[in-house]
PDB file of all heavy atoms in Angstrom:
ATOM      1  N   LYS A 465      72.071  -7.945  26.824  1.00  0.00           N
ATOM      2  CA  LYS A 465      70.779  -8.635  26.831  1.00  0.00           C
ATOM      3  C   LYS A 465      70.740  -9.502  28.087  1.00  0.00           C
ATOM      4  O   LYS A 465      71.738 -10.105  28.468  1.00  0.00           O
ATOM      5  CB  LYS A 465      70.655  -9.446  25.567  1.00  0.00           C
ATOM      6  CG  LYS A 465      69.369 -10.264  25.416  1.00  0.00           C
ATOM      7  CD  LYS A 465      69.404 -11.085  24.160  1.00  0.00           C
ATOM      8  CE  LYS A 465      68.225 -12.036  24.069  1.00  0.00           C
ATOM      9  NZ  LYS A 465      66.932 -11.311  23.973  1.00  0.00           N
ATOM     10  N   GLY A 466      69.534  -9.629  28.648  1.00  0.00           N
ATOM     11  CA  GLY A 466      69.409 -10.406  29.863  1.00  0.00           C
ATOM     12  C   GLY A 466      69.953 -11.818  29.773  1.00  0.00           C
ATOM     13  O   GLY A 466      70.541 -12.327  30.715  1.00  0.00           O
ATOM     14  N   ALA A 467      69.757 -12.428  28.620  1.00  0.00           N
ATOM     15  CA  ALA A 467      70.169 -13.813  28.472  1.00  0.00           C
ATOM     16  C   ALA A 467      71.689 -14.021  28.520  1.00  0.00           C
ATOM     17  O   ALA A 467      72.160 -15.165  28.766  1.00  0.00           O
ATOM     18  CB  ALA A 467      69.658 -14.370  27.161  1.00  0.00           C
ATOM     19  N   VAL A 468      72.450 -12.944  28.324  1.00  0.00           N
ATOM     20  CA  VAL A 468      73.933 -13.102  28.349  1.00  0.00           C
ATOM     21  C   VAL A 468      74.581 -12.324  29.484  1.00  0.00           C
ATOM     22  O   VAL A 468      75.764 -12.507  29.732  1.00  0.00           O
ATOM     23  CB  VAL A 468      74.539 -12.642  27.003  1.00  0.00           C
ATOM     24  CG1 VAL A 468      73.884 -13.368  25.830  1.00  0.00           C
ATOM     25  CG2 VAL A 468      74.472 -11.143  26.820  1.00  0.00           C
ATOM     26  N   ARG A 469      73.779 -11.492  30.174  1.00  0.00           N
ATOM     27  CA  ARG A 469      74.353 -10.698  31.242  1.00  0.00           C
ATOM     28  C   ARG A 469      74.960 -11.600  32.344  1.00  0.00           C
ATOM     29  O   ARG A 469      74.364 -12.586  32.741  1.00  0.00           O
ATOM     30  CB  ARG A 469      73.307  -9.759  31.857  1.00  0.00           C
ATOM     31  CG  ARG A 469      73.837  -8.759  32.863  1.00  0.00           C
ATOM     32  CD  ARG A 469      72.774  -7.838  33.376  1.00  0.00           C
ATOM     33  NE  ARG A 469      72.267  -6.966  32.287  1.00  0.00           N
ATOM     34  CZ  ARG A 469      70.997  -7.016  31.895  1.00  0.00           C
ATOM     35  NH1 ARG A 469      70.135  -7.847  32.425  1.00  0.00           N
ATOM     36  NH2 ARG A 469      70.610  -6.211  30.912  1.00  0.00           N
ATOM     37  N   GLY A 470      76.143 -11.256  32.752  1.00  0.00           N
ATOM     38  CA  GLY A 470      76.835 -12.045  33.747  1.00  0.00           C
ATOM     39  C   GLY A 470      77.682 -13.185  33.160  1.00  0.00           C
ATOM     40  O   GLY A 470      78.538 -13.735  33.857  1.00  0.00           O
ATOM     41  N   ARG A 471      77.479 -13.474  31.887  1.00  0.00           N
ATOM     42  CA  ARG A 471      78.289 -14.500  31.231  1.00  0.00           C
ATOM     43  C   ARG A 471      79.161 -13.923  30.140  1.00  0.00           C
ATOM     44  O   ARG A 471      80.278 -14.430  29.892  1.00  0.00           O
ATOM     45  CB  ARG A 471      77.356 -15.574  30.602  1.00  0.00           C
ATOM     46  CG  ARG A 471      76.468 -16.300  31.562  1.00  0.00           C
ATOM     47  CD  ARG A 471      75.744 -17.448  30.884  1.00  0.00           C
ATOM     48  NE  ARG A 471      74.835 -17.000  29.814  1.00  0.00           N
ATOM     49  CZ  ARG A 471      74.928 -17.423  28.553  1.00  0.00           C
ATOM     50  NH1 ARG A 471      75.861 -18.276  28.183  1.00  0.00           N
ATOM     51  NH2 ARG A 471      74.059 -16.973  27.641  1.00  0.00           N
ATOM     52  N   PHE A 472      78.709 -12.869  29.467  1.00  0.00           N
ATOM     53  CA  PHE A 472      79.453 -12.252  28.405  1.00  0.00           C
ATOM     54  C   PHE A 472      80.001 -10.869  28.856  1.00  0.00           C
ATOM     55  O   PHE A 472      79.328 -10.182  29.639  1.00  0.00           O
ATOM     56  CB  PHE A 472      78.555 -12.033  27.171  1.00  0.00           C
ATOM     57  CG  PHE A 472      78.109 -13.281  26.443  1.00  0.00           C
ATOM     58  CD1 PHE A 472      78.340 -14.542  26.966  1.00  0.00           C
ATOM     59  CD2 PHE A 472      77.472 -13.176  25.228  1.00  0.00           C
ATOM     60  CE1 PHE A 472      77.932 -15.700  26.317  1.00  0.00           C
ATOM     61  CE2 PHE A 472      77.047 -14.315  24.562  1.00  0.00           C
ATOM     62  CZ  PHE A 472      77.279 -15.570  25.101  1.00  0.00           C
ATOM     63  N   THR A 473      81.131 -10.528  28.368  1.00  0.00           N
ATOM     64  CA  THR A 473      81.728  -9.216  28.679  1.00  0.00           C
ATOM     65  C   THR A 473      82.273  -8.594  27.404  1.00  0.00           C
ATOM     66  O   THR A 473      83.094  -9.208  26.688  1.00  0.00           O
ATOM     67  CB  THR A 473      82.893  -9.364  29.708  1.00  0.00           C
ATOM     68  OG1 THR A 473      82.387 -10.024  30.881  1.00  0.00           O
ATOM     69  CG2 THR A 473      83.441  -8.009  30.077  1.00  0.00           C
ATOM     70  N   ILE A 474      81.847  -7.348  27.180  1.00  0.00           N
ATOM     71  CA  ILE A 474      82.349  -6.613  26.029  1.00  0.00           C
ATOM     72  C   ILE A 474      83.443  -5.634  26.487  1.00  0.00           C
ATOM     73  O   ILE A 474      83.348  -5.073  27.591  1.00  0.00           O
ATOM     74  CB  ILE A 474      81.208  -5.825  25.314  1.00  0.00           C
ATOM     75  CG1 ILE A 474      81.651  -5.262  23.994  1.00  0.00           C
ATOM     76  CG2 ILE A 474      80.622  -4.777  26.242  1.00  0.00           C
ATOM     77  CD1 ILE A 474      80.498  -4.713  23.135  1.00  0.00           C
ATOM     78  N   SER A 475      84.452  -5.459  25.658  1.00  0.00           N
ATOM     79  CA  SER A 475      85.548  -4.552  26.000  1.00  0.00           C
ATOM     80  C   SER A 475      86.172  -4.048  24.720  1.00  0.00           C
ATOM     81  O   SER A 475      85.959  -4.638  23.675  1.00  0.00           O
ATOM     82  CB  SER A 475      86.594  -5.231  26.890  1.00  0.00           C
ATOM     83  OG  SER A 475      87.211  -6.327  26.197  1.00  0.00           O
ATOM     84  N   ARG A 476      86.944  -2.983  24.850  1.00  0.00           N
ATOM     85  CA  ARG A 476      87.626  -2.493  23.660  1.00  0.00           C
ATOM     86  C   ARG A 476      89.070  -2.223  23.989  1.00  0.00           C
ATOM     87  O   ARG A 476      89.424  -1.776  25.099  1.00  0.00           O
ATOM     88  CB  ARG A 476      86.929  -1.257  23.058  1.00  0.00           C
ATOM     89  CG  ARG A 476      87.048   0.033  23.789  1.00  0.00           C
ATOM     90  CD  ARG A 476      86.662   1.207  22.903  1.00  0.00           C
ATOM     91  NE  ARG A 476      85.230   1.419  22.790  1.00  0.00           N
ATOM     92  CZ  ARG A 476      84.576   1.760  21.645  1.00  0.00           C
ATOM     93  NH1 ARG A 476      85.282   1.891  20.556  1.00  0.00           N
ATOM     94  NH2 ARG A 476      83.316   1.963  21.623  1.00  0.00           N
ATOM     95  N   ASP A 477      89.926  -2.444  22.988  1.00  0.00           N
ATOM     96  CA  ASP A 477      91.337  -2.120  23.055  1.00  0.00           C
ATOM     97  C   ASP A 477      91.616  -1.077  22.013  1.00  0.00           C
ATOM     98  O   ASP A 477      91.670  -1.382  20.810  1.00  0.00           O
ATOM     99  CB  ASP A 477      92.181  -3.404  22.818  1.00  0.00           C
ATOM    100  CG  ASP A 477      93.660  -3.160  23.015  1.00  0.00           C
ATOM    101  OD1 ASP A 477      94.141  -2.065  22.718  1.00  0.00           O
ATOM    102  OD2 ASP A 477      94.348  -4.138  23.419  1.00  0.00           O
ATOM    103  N   ILE A 478      91.763   0.169  22.477  1.00  0.00           N
ATOM    104  CA  ILE A 478      91.893   1.267  21.532  1.00  0.00           C
ATOM    105  C   ILE A 478      93.164   1.134  20.709  1.00  0.00           C
ATOM    106  O   ILE A 478      93.180   1.377  19.488  1.00  0.00           O
ATOM    107  CB  ILE A 478      91.885   2.606  22.285  1.00  0.00           C
ATOM    108  CG1 ILE A 478      90.527   2.813  22.934  1.00  0.00           C
ATOM    109  CG2 ILE A 478      92.219   3.769  21.338  1.00  0.00           C
ATOM    110  CD1 ILE A 478      90.445   4.032  23.831  1.00  0.00           C
ATOM    111  N   ALA A 479      94.253   0.713  21.350  1.00  0.00           N
ATOM    112  CA  ALA A 479      95.545   0.591  20.635  1.00  0.00           C
ATOM    113  C   ALA A 479      95.465  -0.422  19.496  1.00  0.00           C
ATOM    114  O   ALA A 479      96.114  -0.251  18.471  1.00  0.00           O
ATOM    115  CB  ALA A 479      96.627   0.202  21.632  1.00  0.00           C
ATOM    116  N   LYS A 480      94.699  -1.479  19.725  1.00  0.00           N
ATOM    117  CA  LYS A 480      94.566  -2.524  18.683  1.00  0.00           C
ATOM    118  C   LYS A 480      93.363  -2.308  17.788  1.00  0.00           C
ATOM    119  O   LYS A 480      93.137  -3.100  16.869  1.00  0.00           O
ATOM    120  CB  LYS A 480      94.474  -3.898  19.350  1.00  0.00           C
ATOM    121  CG  LYS A 480      95.732  -4.327  20.092  1.00  0.00           C
ATOM    122  CD  LYS A 480      95.592  -5.704  20.674  1.00  0.00           C
ATOM    123  CE  LYS A 480      96.915  -6.130  21.334  1.00  0.00           C
ATOM    124  NZ  LYS A 480      96.819  -7.500  21.940  1.00  0.00           N
ATOM    125  N   ASN A 481      92.608  -1.231  18.045  1.00  0.00           N
ATOM    126  CA  ASN A 481      91.401  -0.940  17.242  1.00  0.00           C
ATOM    127  C   ASN A 481      90.499  -2.150  17.143  1.00  0.00           C
ATOM    128  O   ASN A 481      90.000  -2.514  16.101  1.00  0.00           O
ATOM    129  CB  ASN A 481      91.799  -0.467  15.845  1.00  0.00           C
ATOM    130  CG  ASN A 481      90.765   0.505  15.267  1.00  0.00           C
ATOM    131  OD1 ASN A 481      90.109   1.254  16.005  1.00  0.00           O
ATOM    132  ND2 ASN A 481      90.630   0.488  13.960  1.00  0.00           N
ATOM    133  N   THR A 482      90.290  -2.758  18.286  1.00  0.00           N
ATOM    134  CA  THR A 482      89.557  -4.002  18.377  1.00  0.00           C
ATOM    135  C   THR A 482      88.577  -3.985  19.556  1.00  0.00           C
ATOM    136  O   THR A 482      88.915  -3.441  20.591  1.00  0.00           O
ATOM    137  CB  THR A 482      90.518  -5.173  18.507  1.00  0.00           C
ATOM    138  OG1 THR A 482      91.402  -5.217  17.363  1.00  0.00           O
ATOM    139  CG2 THR A 482      89.771  -6.506  18.621  1.00  0.00           C
ATOM    140  N   VAL A 483      87.433  -4.578  19.345  1.00  0.00           N
ATOM    141  CA  VAL A 483      86.468  -4.786  20.410  1.00  0.00           C
ATOM    142  C   VAL A 483      86.329  -6.311  20.599  1.00  0.00           C
ATOM    143  O   VAL A 483      86.336  -7.042  19.610  1.00  0.00           O
ATOM    144  CB  VAL A 483      85.114  -4.153  20.066  1.00  0.00           C
ATOM    145  CG1 VAL A 483      84.045  -4.519  21.092  1.00  0.00           C
ATOM    146  CG2 VAL A 483      85.275  -2.633  20.023  1.00  0.00           C
ATOM    147  N   TYR A 484      86.226  -6.720  21.841  1.00  0.00           N
ATOM    148  CA  TYR A 484      86.126  -8.139  22.185  1.00  0.00           C
ATOM    149  C   TYR A 484      84.771  -8.453  22.810  1.00  0.00           C
ATOM    150  O   TYR A 484      84.136  -7.614  23.434  1.00  0.00           O
ATOM    151  CB  TYR A 484      87.225  -8.519  23.147  1.00  0.00           C
ATOM    152  CG  TYR A 484      88.611  -8.221  22.638  1.00  0.00           C
ATOM    153  CD1 TYR A 484      89.321  -7.086  23.053  1.00  0.00           C
ATOM    154  CD2 TYR A 484      89.247  -9.095  21.783  1.00  0.00           C
ATOM    155  CE1 TYR A 484      90.587  -6.810  22.572  1.00  0.00           C
ATOM    156  CE2 TYR A 484      90.522  -8.824  21.263  1.00  0.00           C
ATOM    157  CZ  TYR A 484      91.182  -7.707  21.692  1.00  0.00           C
ATOM    158  OH  TYR A 484      92.450  -7.436  21.238  1.00  0.00           O
ATOM    159  N   LEU A 485      84.424  -9.707  22.685  1.00  0.00           N
ATOM    160  CA  LEU A 485      83.273 -10.266  23.407  1.00  0.00           C
ATOM    161  C   LEU A 485      83.746 -11.540  24.078  1.00  0.00           C
ATOM    162  O   LEU A 485      83.937 -12.546  23.366  1.00  0.00           O
ATOM    163  CB  LEU A 485      82.063 -10.493  22.511  1.00  0.00           C
ATOM    164  CG  LEU A 485      80.810 -10.934  23.266  1.00  0.00           C
ATOM    165  CD1 LEU A 485      80.251  -9.777  24.098  1.00  0.00           C
ATOM    166  CD2 LEU A 485      79.735 -11.439  22.290  1.00  0.00           C
ATOM    167  N   GLN A 486      83.979 -11.489  25.345  1.00  0.00           N
ATOM    168  CA  GLN A 486      84.347 -12.673  26.117  1.00  0.00           C
ATOM    169  C   GLN A 486      83.091 -13.420  26.488  1.00  0.00           C
ATOM    170  O   GLN A 486      82.205 -12.828  27.115  1.00  0.00           O
ATOM    171  CB  GLN A 486      85.117 -12.300  27.361  1.00  0.00           C
ATOM    172  CG  GLN A 486      85.523 -13.472  28.229  1.00  0.00           C
ATOM    173  CD  GLN A 486      86.533 -14.402  27.543  1.00  0.00           C
ATOM    174  OE1 GLN A 486      87.473 -13.938  26.936  1.00  0.00           O
ATOM    175  NE2 GLN A 486      86.325 -15.702  27.681  1.00  0.00           N
ATOM    176  N   MET A 487      82.985 -14.651  26.098  1.00  0.00           N
ATOM    177  CA  MET A 487      81.795 -15.437  26.334  1.00  0.00           C
ATOM    178  C   MET A 487      82.132 -16.617  27.222  1.00  0.00           C
ATOM    179  O   MET A 487      82.920 -17.494  26.799  1.00  0.00           O
ATOM    180  CB  MET A 487      81.176 -15.930  24.991  1.00  0.00           C
ATOM    181  CG  MET A 487      80.930 -14.809  24.000  1.00  0.00           C
ATOM    182  SD  MET A 487      80.022 -15.330  22.546  1.00  0.00           S
ATOM    183  CE  MET A 487      81.174 -16.521  21.834  1.00  0.00           C
ATOM    184  N   ASN A 488      81.581 -16.649  28.390  1.00  0.00           N
ATOM    185  CA  ASN A 488      81.806 -17.708  29.367  1.00  0.00           C
ATOM    186  C   ASN A 488      80.521 -18.458  29.633  1.00  0.00           C
ATOM    187  O   ASN A 488      79.430 -18.002  29.283  1.00  0.00           O
ATOM    188  CB  ASN A 488      82.361 -17.162  30.678  1.00  0.00           C
ATOM    189  CG  ASN A 488      83.688 -16.447  30.486  1.00  0.00           C
ATOM    190  OD1 ASN A 488      84.504 -16.808  29.658  1.00  0.00           O
ATOM    191  ND2 ASN A 488      83.919 -15.405  31.321  1.00  0.00           N
TER     192      ASN A 488
END
């Protein structure tokens, strides 16, 4: 979403079966 682009980053770790949202 525009309001979070450039500040938030989504990623996934397949081995840990986890998705992250880094919020800066």
Side-chain angles (χ1 to χ4, degrees):
K465 178 182 173 66
V468 307
R469 188 177 294 117
R471 299 188 297 123
F472 292 9
T473 303
I474 190 171
S475 62
R476 72 165 80 220
D477 186 327
I478 295 173
K480 295 183 177 180
N481 210 31
T482 299
V483 172
Y484 302 100
L485 185 69
Q486 177 67 44
M487 306 188 297
N488 299 329

